[in-house]
Amino acid sequence: MCGENSSSLTPGFFILNGIPGLEAAHTWISLPFCFMYVIAVVGNCGLIYLISHEDALHRPMYYFLALLSFTDVTLCTTTVPNMLCIFWFNLKEIDFDACLTQMFFVHMLTGMESGVLMLMALDRYVAICYPLRYSIILTNPVIAKTGLATFLRGVLLIIPFTFLTKRLPYCRGNFIPHTYCDHMSVAKVSCGNFEVNAVYGLMVALLIGVFDICCISVSYTMILRAVVSLSSADARHKAFSTCTSHICAIVITYVPAFFTFFAHRFGGHNIPHHIHIIVANLYLLLPPTMNPIVYGVKTKQIREGVFKFLLGDKVVFTQDK
């Protein structure tokens, strides 16, 4: 078969097998994923609505949060409905081009999510280290340009994934042991040499992940220095408390991301495959689910906005940088 022309080595569709080894438990596994997805959609759409309609939330910090919410709800929507169809209706087929499209959006949006977290760290740095120039530095055009740059970075770096994957011959079959089309999971189905895919995937991870983490680390180092230099304990507590929600979002996003990345490349034979798949799904679903909850609990202005929306009472918003 490997001697046939390249078009015959491109399957018309792939079959996503879900979570290998746990097929009998697919229905039960789907319940928490479905519950998390509903929370993610309601929570993130609610945040976007709240930020767009409350004048008190028309500030850089909340604009970046709205961008994060939009990215998160789009990200989980690219995978979870299809995953639930696999679990509930055994609809495992996905068109080859649709698989590549899903793969592109998954990786582009995860890269954009990382970029938005980096922008939010820079926002906290400006707010704490240059409070008097905060509104001057982070104007609406600056916010729009940085958001657009983050989007374009993801698009330009991830587009080659689709071409690198499409060029591969697939003469080993079309079964993918996953719930969605992940770059390396699709490439490993190929009977060709996918070393270029692996190297480019590593390079993109370094360009996006390492760069963003370095920027976040530098921002918080400067923030810590500025907070420690404050004379009042109350001022130090108030300044750093504005960062707690963002720090929680960073941990929720990067811990499963690092596990998925290193397990794919270095722990393939030591970690059961179904653990790989479950953590990979949590990597896409946990941040969209938890971020609205974390920001809703930790951010006073958002809590007040929710109470105002639910109770219909006039709530006075307090300003907080």
Side-chain angles (χ1 to χ4, degrees):
M1 182 173 179
C2 290
E4 298 176 13
N5 60 49
S6 59
S7 62
S8 67
L9 300 180
T10 301
F13 60 90
F14 286 115
I15 297 176
L16 295 169
N17 276 342
I19 304 177
L22 297 178
E23 289 84 358
H26 273 180
T27 302
W28 293 106
I29 293 171
S30 71
L31 298 180
F33 282 129
C34 180
F35 181 67
M36 291 172 70
Y37 178 62
V38 171
I39 293 176
V41 172
V42 173
N44 286 289
C45 290
L47 270 180
I48 295 170
Y49 175 85
L50 197 65
I51 292 169
S52 64
H53 283 76
E54 290 293 345
D55 292 339
L57 300 179
H58 291 177
R59 300 169 59 231
M61 171 183 172
Y62 301 109
Y63 290 147
F64 286 128
L65 178 57
L67 181 59
L68 180 66
S69 293
F70 176 78
T71 303
D72 279 346
V73 75
T74 308
L75 174 60
C76 61
T77 300
T78 61
T79 57
V80 176
N82 188 60
M83 177 182 67
L84 294 178
C85 286
I86 295 172
F87 290 163
W88 290 345
F89 309 115
N90 205 36
L91 299 176
K92 298 183 176 183
E93 291 187 8
I94 182 170
D95 182 77
F96 180 78
D97 290 329
C99 182
L100 296 185
T101 301
Q102 185 187 57
M103 179 186 71
F104 167 77
F105 278 105
V106 165
H107 291 287
M108 186 273 288
L109 290 167
T110 53
M112 188 170 175
E113 181 181 47
S114 176
V116 174
L117 288 173
M118 181 264 292
L119 294 179
M120 295 174 79
L122 297 177
D123 166 79
R124 292 297 82 206
Y125 163 70
V126 175
I128 293 173
C129 297
Y130 302 98
L132 299 179
R133 300 177 58 194
Y134 180 62
S135 59
I136 299 173
I137 296 173
L138 291 177
T139 61
N140 288 346
V142 170
I143 295 169
K145 289 176 183 177
T146 54
L148 180 61
T150 303
F151 170 74
L152 291 177
R153 180 188 70 166
V155 170
L156 294 176
L157 288 176
I158 300 303
I159 276 181
F161 278 5
T162 58
F163 296 107
L164 290 172
T165 305
K166 195 166 187 175
R167 72 179 176 84
L168 294 171
Y170 295 90
C171 52
R172 290 179 182 169
N174 60 348
F175 290 86
I176 300 176
H178 214 305
T179 57
Y180 63 87
C181 293
D182 171 76
H183 174 225
M184 289 308 299
S185 296
V186 176
K188 287 178 180 179
V189 176
S190 166
C191 57
N193 185 352
F194 56 85
E195 184 177 344
V196 175
N197 296 63
V199 171
Y200 185 72
L202 180 62
M203 186 178 73
V204 169
L206 293 175
L207 287 174
I208 294 179
V210 173
F211 175 79
D212 290 345
I213 291 171
C214 286
C215 289
I216 291 170
S217 300
V218 171
S219 296
Y220 273 100
T221 300
M222 302 299 291
I223 288 171
L224 191 59
R225 289 179 58 185
V227 170
V228 170
S229 66
L230 295 174
S231 57
S232 167
D234 288 340
R236 288 195 294 269
H237 179 266
K238 183 178 179 181
F240 202 72
S241 65
T242 63
C243 302
T244 54
S245 299
H246 183 245
I247 293 172
C248 290
I250 291 171
V251 173
I252 292 168
T253 300
Y254 282 113
V255 168
F258 279 131
F259 179 90
T260 300
F261 177 80
F262 287 111
H264 254 305
R265 286 159 177 80
F266 308 113
H269 301 293
N270 301 321
I271 302 172
H273 191 65
H274 65 270
I275 300 297
H276 278 276
I277 306 304
I278 291 173
V279 175
N281 281 281
L282 289 176
Y283 163 49
L284 300 185
L285 193 51
L286 191 61
T289 304
M290 294 303 299
N291 285 342
I293 298 173
V294 169
Y295 276 93
V297 171
K298 293 284 187 181
T299 309
K300 184 177 181 180
Q301 291 84 350
I302 293 177
R303 288 201 308 271
E304 291 174 342
V306 172
F307 291 146
K308 180 179 176 181
F309 176 77
L310 293 177
L311 303 177
D313 295 328
K314 186 175 181 180
V315 179
V316 178
F317 282 79
T318 57
Q319 295 299 317
D320 181 29
K321 283 198 171 109

